[in-house]
Amino acid sequence: MLKQVFLFGLLAMVGAGPSRETISTTGSWLVDGRHSDAQLIADGTTDYGKTKMDVTLGFGRVSGRVVLDDQDGSKSKLDFSIYPANSQAPAIDENGKLQNRWLENLSNHTLVCFHSKQVVRKPDGTLQASGTLVLTRVDRNVEATPNEGYAGPVYGPPMLHRMTQEATFVFRQPAADGKTGILASGSVGVYREDFPQLVKTVINTYWPPLVQDKNCIAGTPNEGYSGSLCTGTFLESPGLPASPGGNVGEDFPGPQDFNSIVGEHLTVLVHLHLARANTSSPAAGF
């Protein structure tokens, strides 16, 4: 059985408190990819292994569909995907099929999906969603040998890797988010011994900064024109602690192995902003 780590400390991170308005959540919902995110955390060490710490590897986009039934949890269903923020929608599907032509210019891509099989509402209002985690990874060999006729890297054919593992997300009781939407936040912990491919892949994937609710306005062309003006919520991993003595000189590399990603376990925290959906309308990426 897959060992689970249920991080109820997440409540403090996403704003806990009895003052949050609770509403009826029964119905079909779409995950709002402009305001949802997944925080990916692994274990590590600092100070040359003397101190253990949690390391935020990055933030991923989330898209999908959620069906909830306040009276009968067996009728609830959660399906969502997590992927790097360099695309607005998943560039690949769970079977590795390319969704966007621009993927031809990337050497790899990672997609993590969750499909619930059973959703149980606990007496405290939390939702326990048990189901399948699906890891899809597309890799391509890259040839980049500089020469007189070098015109950039050449990518080989896609190589598909797909693995699954049973897992359980625990969600706090969904609450109102605005006038018509709801917020559902939850977590799952995965140990490397249970799903080594997932832990290794997430650690080795580049998770670019995620900008939520990005809105850009074109500036007025003039001598001081500097491009479009953009606003939004910027999510980026805080980085590792600075090693001492790293700035002694330009050529001094600093102490080695001051920080280390151990990778014994992976924690996924998802913050889903859900909007009412027409059941006939597919969610992005599905």
Side-chain angles (χ1 to χ4, degrees):
M1 293 294 294
L2 177 65
K3 299 172 185 159
Q4 305 297 333
V5 178
F6 301 142
L7 301 182
F8 290 103
L10 169 66
L11 301 184
M13 299 177 60
V14 298
S19 61
R20 298 183 72 209
E21 178 188 359
T22 58
I23 60 174
S24 172
T25 63
T26 296
S28 181
W29 305 84
L30 292 182
V31 178
D32 180 0
R34 287 173 55 86
H35 300 89
S36 302
D37 68 86
Q39 184 178 359
L40 306 160
I41 304 171
D43 58 310
T45 63
T46 189
D47 195 13
Y48 307 104
K50 298 177 184 178
T51 304
K52 295 182 179 180
M53 63 178 179
D54 288 331
V55 180
T56 296
L57 304 171
F59 294 83
R61 290 195 188 278
V62 186
S63 65
R65 181 187 293 275
V66 173
V67 177
L68 298 175
D69 191 306
D70 291 340
Q71 304 301 320
D72 187 354
S74 65
K75 297 180 180 179
S76 298
K77 179 73 173 175
L78 291 87
D79 294 284
F80 55 84
S81 300
I82 301 169
Y83 47 96
N86 48 18
S87 60
Q88 292 294 328
I92 56 177
D93 65 12
E94 293 182 47
N95 296 314
K97 181 180 178 181
L98 307 187
Q99 299 293 307
N100 295 326
R101 293 184 61 186
W102 60 260
L103 186 62
E104 297 175 0
N105 297 321
L106 295 179
S107 60
N108 53 61
H109 201 88
T110 297
L111 177 68
V112 179
C113 299
F114 176 73
H115 303 294
S116 69
K117 297 179 180 178
Q118 182 183 42
V119 179
V120 178
R121 185 180 294 273
K122 297 296 184 178
D124 61 0
T126 58
L127 299 178
Q128 182 172 302
S130 302
T132 304
L133 271 176
V134 182
L135 168 65
T136 303
R137 173 79 173 182
V138 174
D139 293 305
R140 307 177 74 181
N141 291 325
V142 182
E143 181 179 344
T145 304
N147 53 49
E148 293 182 359
Y150 180 71
V154 177
Y155 297 94
M159 296 178 291
L160 173 65
H161 311 278
R162 185 179 186 276
M163 288 73 65
T164 64
Q165 176 65 55
E166 298 304 299
T168 300
F169 273 87
V170 173
F171 286 84
R172 62 174 300 183
Q173 183 175 357
D177 177 42
K179 296 181 179 180
T180 60
I182 59 175
L183 173 64
S185 300
S187 65
V188 65
V190 181
Y191 283 88
R192 181 171 61 182
E193 63 188 69
D194 297 311
F195 202 172
Q197 301 91 339
L198 176 66
V199 178
K200 180 180 179 180
T201 296
V202 170
I203 290 176
N204 291 326
T205 294
Y206 170 58
W207 301 94
L210 170 64
V211 181
Q212 293 183 334
D213 198 21
K214 184 176 181 181
N215 182 33
C216 295
I217 301 175
T220 303
N222 51 43
E223 292 183 0
Y225 179 69
S226 58
S228 300
L229 301 177
C230 298
T231 60
T233 302
F234 189 80
L235 298 179
E236 185 179 30
S237 58
L240 299 171
S243 59
N247 298 318
V248 174
E250 292 184 2
D251 299 325
F252 181 69
Q256 302 298 308
D257 301 324
F258 182 77
N259 301 306
S260 177
I261 305 296
V262 178
E264 288 294 336
H265 62 79
L266 172 73
T267 301
V268 182
L269 310 178
V270 293
H271 311 96
L272 307 181
H273 287 254
L274 306 177
R276 288 284 182 186
N278 183 331
T279 55
S280 63
S281 301
F286 283 80

